[in-house]
Amino acid sequence: MATITYKCPNCGGGLRFDPKLQKFKCDFCLSEFTQEELEKLAPQQAGDQTVSEEEAAYLGQKEKEPSTEGKNEGQTGAVLYTCPSCGATVITDETTAATFCYYCHNPIVLEGKLSGKYLPDRLIPFKYDKKKAEEIFLDYVHHKRFVPKAFFTKDQVEKLSGVYYPFWVYHASVDGQMSAAANRIRTWVTGDMEYTETKVFHVERGGQIDIQNLSRNALQESDKNLINAVMPFRLGEAKPFTIGYLQGFVAQKRDIESEQIAKEMQDRAKRYAEHALERTMEGYSVVTGKQSSFSIKSEQYAYMLLPVWLLTYKALDGAKYYFAMNGQTGEIHGRLPVDMVKLSAFAGALGGSLFVIVLALLYFLM
């Protein structure tokens, strides 16, 4: 399978997307380009086979199923590619769609992984660059008193990676009907007498409810808790997908198809529609005996890539810890390790009687 690099029109160096500038930047000659400028320049580079194939892929001008070329037959799930810039071998897994060469640091997009039926519809570009993500990470861990230094050494921080995760975004039109018995109770006092008035109603609601932007992770092996912790994304800010946004980041290709999650998404849409009708029954004292029916009239799936800054850490005991940050909103979440030496010293200073209390507090604060 071929590899793809976004070439600088001025010097031929590899381009990457700069979240701070919201432009494509060459780290060699420092040129900057918007997506529109690169699209205008693309025909001039038609002699470069890599660029022309890339343009065809992201514009949807050719359909291509993922190729098996480049797989290492002896390693399950391992895929080998050759960096077009320095010739080094790049090793990834089968769901990786974009990465970078660990030798020359040139960004690489793996051709065919995001073309044909795997071509994303939309993408939310990173709004935070790596420098800002590192600042937020260091500020976050420095407020956590008992995190081991190994978690935020220079070498560890440099492993902070921008990853585009694949998501399905679901839209549906739901036809719903709901009926219930409702009471409206009024109480008042006149003289020495207290009166209670109960009015009984038969309530019916119905209509077409449009459900928008229900998202669902499209990668089987990803940590759902990690990704869900940095939700939500502002999906309305998504842009039409172009492969250039992947330059300089890691991207994952989906391995869950819409058919596999169809019932789950339809059930979620029906629940949202049910809640919408229930809210129209407010204003009664008691609502009982609800009966409802819902059916999906139309539905649509969009395949989208969403940005996450991610840092993982494997402790000596094999436990995995992580820091994750929403690359669009800056929302952060982490499961951080605890340095037991620091903790013991702190507990000793406080006194043994407080040790159990400290442990309990740390459990909830970390």
Side-chain angles (χ1 to χ4, degrees):
M1 184 181 295
T3 55
I4 296 169
T5 56
Y6 231 34
K7 297 292 187 180
C8 173
N10 294 333
C11 73
L15 291 178
R16 63 178 177 83
F17 179 72
D18 189 316
K20 186 175 182 179
L21 298 173
Q22 290 293 294
K23 292 182 178 181
F24 298 92
K25 183 176 181 180
C26 175
D27 289 328
F28 295 92
C29 68
L30 304 181
S31 299
E32 299 172 5
F33 305 91
T34 65
Q35 178 62 41
E36 292 75 16
E37 289 170 338
L38 288 177
E39 289 177 357
K40 291 178 181 178
L41 290 169
Q44 301 173 17
Q45 304 178 23
D48 187 334
Q49 182 181 5
T50 299
V51 173
S52 63
E53 287 182 351
E54 173 195 270
E55 295 295 326
Y58 84 70
L59 291 174
Q61 294 173 346
K62 69 175 182 178
E63 294 293 319
K64 179 182 292 185
E65 294 299 322
S67 170
T68 57
E69 179 185 350
K71 284 189 180 180
N72 186 337
E73 298 290 346
Q75 294 182 341
T76 302
V79 187
L80 307 183
Y81 303 93
T82 300
C83 174
S85 295
C86 71
T89 298
V90 180
I91 304 176
T92 71
D93 58 33
E94 293 180 340
T95 60
T96 299
T99 183
F100 58 89
C101 176
Y102 291 95
Y103 296 93
C104 69
H105 299 284
N106 211 38
I108 297 172
V109 177
L110 308 179
E111 186 203 0
K113 289 297 187 76
L114 293 178
S115 63
K117 72 174 185 177
Y118 291 104
L119 185 71
D121 298 298
R122 299 179 72 77
L123 167 148
I124 294 179
F126 278 87
K127 294 291 182 68
Y128 292 86
D129 61 15
K130 185 171 184 178
K131 182 179 179 180
K132 185 61 177 179
E134 289 177 351
E135 291 176 1
I136 294 174
F137 165 72
L138 290 174
D139 181 67
Y140 177 70
V141 295
H142 285 158
H143 283 84
K144 307 295 182 180
R145 189 168 187 172
F146 301 106
V147 176
K149 289 184 178 180
F151 188 68
F152 54 91
T153 61
K154 181 180 178 181
D155 289 343
Q156 175 70 2
V157 173
E158 287 179 350
K159 296 177 183 177
L160 186 68
S161 299
V163 182
Y164 279 107
Y165 279 95
F167 274 75
W168 285 111
V169 179
Y170 180 74
H171 313 285
S173 178
V174 183
D175 188 13
Q177 304 292 328
M178 179 178 290
S179 62
N183 295 338
R184 185 172 290 145
I185 302 173
R186 184 169 69 96
T187 302
W188 70 94
V189 176
T190 302
D192 295 333
M193 299 293 294
E194 181 180 281
Y195 298 89
T196 299
E197 177 188 72
T198 301
K199 294 182 178 180
V200 180
F201 301 89
H202 176 75
V203 182
E204 291 188 359
R205 298 288 188 268
Q208 181 174 294
I209 304 99
D210 291 327
I211 307 297
Q212 301 289 322
N213 294 333
L214 293 185
S215 60
R216 197 333 182 142
N217 173 43
L219 197 62
Q220 292 183 16
E221 296 186 1
S222 68
D223 190 325
K224 294 181 177 60
N225 293 329
L226 182 157
I227 302 302
N228 291 338
V230 296
M231 300 290 275
F233 290 84
R234 296 191 294 267
L235 299 179
E237 296 180 7
K239 298 180 180 294
F241 174 77
T242 60
I243 208 164
Y245 286 118
L246 305 186
Q247 301 292 326
F249 299 99
V250 177
Q252 297 292 326
K253 183 193 75 174
R254 74 172 190 264
D255 58 5
I256 296 177
E257 299 304 319
S258 58
E259 295 82 3
Q260 297 173 253
I261 61 171
K263 186 177 186 307
E264 174 189 336
M265 302 308 288
Q266 290 170 357
D267 289 343
R268 286 179 60 186
K270 289 176 182 179
R271 287 197 297 271
Y272 276 100
E274 182 176 14
H275 294 327
L277 290 186
E278 285 178 340
R279 287 195 296 269
T280 67
M281 293 185 175
E282 294 176 352
Y284 297 97
S285 304
V286 180
V287 179
T288 59
K290 291 180 184 176
Q291 295 183 344
S292 60
S293 64
F294 297 91
S295 60
I296 305 294
K297 290 302 181 184
S298 63
E299 58 186 346
Q300 181 182 6
Y301 290 88
Y303 178 35
M304 191 176 294
L305 298 182
L306 304 181
V308 178
W309 283 105
L310 182 64
L311 180 66
T312 58
Y313 173 80
K314 189 173 183 179
L316 294 177
D317 61 0
K320 291 183 179 180
Y321 301 91
Y322 60 81
F323 165 84
M325 184 180 104
N326 186 311
Q328 179 196 34
T329 67
E331 182 72 24
I332 61 177
H333 180 72
R335 178 176 181 262
L336 306 181
V338 175
D339 188 328
M340 296 308 296
V341 175
K342 288 184 180 179
L343 178 60
S344 298
F346 180 72
L350 289 179
S353 60
L354 297 178
F355 185 71
V356 175
I357 298 175
V358 172
L359 284 178
L361 288 173
L362 284 174
Y363 177 81
F364 290 104
L365 292 176
M366 296 298 291

